[in-house]
Amino acid sequence: MHRFNEADAGAAEEALLACCGSHRWALRLTAHRPYPDIESLLAAASEASYDLRPADLAEALADESWMPQPLLGMRAPGSQAAHTALRAAHAAYEARFGHVFVVCLEGVAPEEMLDTVLTSIRTRLANDPDEERLIASDELRRIALTRLEHLVATHSEAGAR
């Protein structure tokens, strides 16, 4: 926590943008430092996530599409047919909603990821755009909190060495 609190504003903002691609979110968290503990930082991050405007959410979702990773779930074990179905589901989702599919997979076992992602996409394809925007926003919030927790833990471990 100390390293994050003491980092210059630009470095803190860059680190936060790796957790959530909304500049407004990152600026807000940077501006409210120092945080006494990880719980306070996570609470502030969660609150800032709930306050994302539609443009902020669109910015964060667009940033997710530039992440250097395969389609969500594609590295999970599974048959070729399941992976083909997953690619098709991702494409259908993006065509329907205009942004990448996001779902927090924290705590999901690797062997369950492909089914979890495929089931989630198929279920959420039935949502209307406003409902899906709320769900995507909450999933993005959960992902950002997980990334933020890992970021602070990694920096704490590195500082302790």
Side-chain angles (χ1 to χ4, degrees):
M1 274 310 304
H2 177 74
R3 252 177 109 176
F4 175 74
N5 283 331
E6 297 299 318
D8 70 69
E13 184 182 343
E14 278 301 311
L16 289 167
L17 284 170
C19 299
C20 175
S22 164
H23 282 83
R24 184 170 175 258
W25 182 87
L27 286 170
R28 180 173 169 176
L29 290 176
T30 300
H32 288 98
R33 293 176 307 155
Y35 295 95
D37 51 41
I38 184 69
E39 292 77 17
S40 299
L41 174 59
L42 293 175
S46 191
E47 182 181 326
S49 295
Y50 287 124
D51 290 342
L52 290 178
R53 297 178 294 211
D56 302 321
L57 177 60
E59 178 185 34
L61 288 168
D63 187 65
E64 290 296 313
S65 71
W66 291 101
M67 291 288 193
Q69 61 189 19
L71 292 174
L72 192 55
M74 290 307 290
R75 287 190 177 170
S79 69
Q80 184 63 35
H83 284 280
T84 300
L86 187 59
R87 274 191 293 280
H90 272 285
Y93 181 93
E94 288 186 38
R96 173 147 166 70
F97 297 111
H99 59 79
V100 296
F101 176 77
V102 291
V103 64
C104 182
L105 294 172
E106 184 70 16
V108 176
E111 63 275 4
E112 297 173 7
M113 283 186 180
L114 190 124
D115 285 339
T116 299
V117 173
L118 192 51
T119 299
S120 294
I121 292 176
R122 287 178 173 164
T123 300
R124 288 169 51 188
L125 273 167
N127 294 338
D128 68 65
D130 290 335
E131 180 182 13
E132 183 53 29
R133 194 170 12 267
L134 290 173
I135 293 169
S137 178
D138 192 56
E139 292 295 329
L140 196 59
R141 179 189 64 80
R142 293 175 56 214
I143 292 166
L145 293 178
T146 299
R147 289 174 179 165
L148 185 55
E149 198 166 17
H150 290 178
L151 173 80
V152 173
T154 300
H155 283 293
S156 294
E157 290 169 9
R161 291 180 195 165

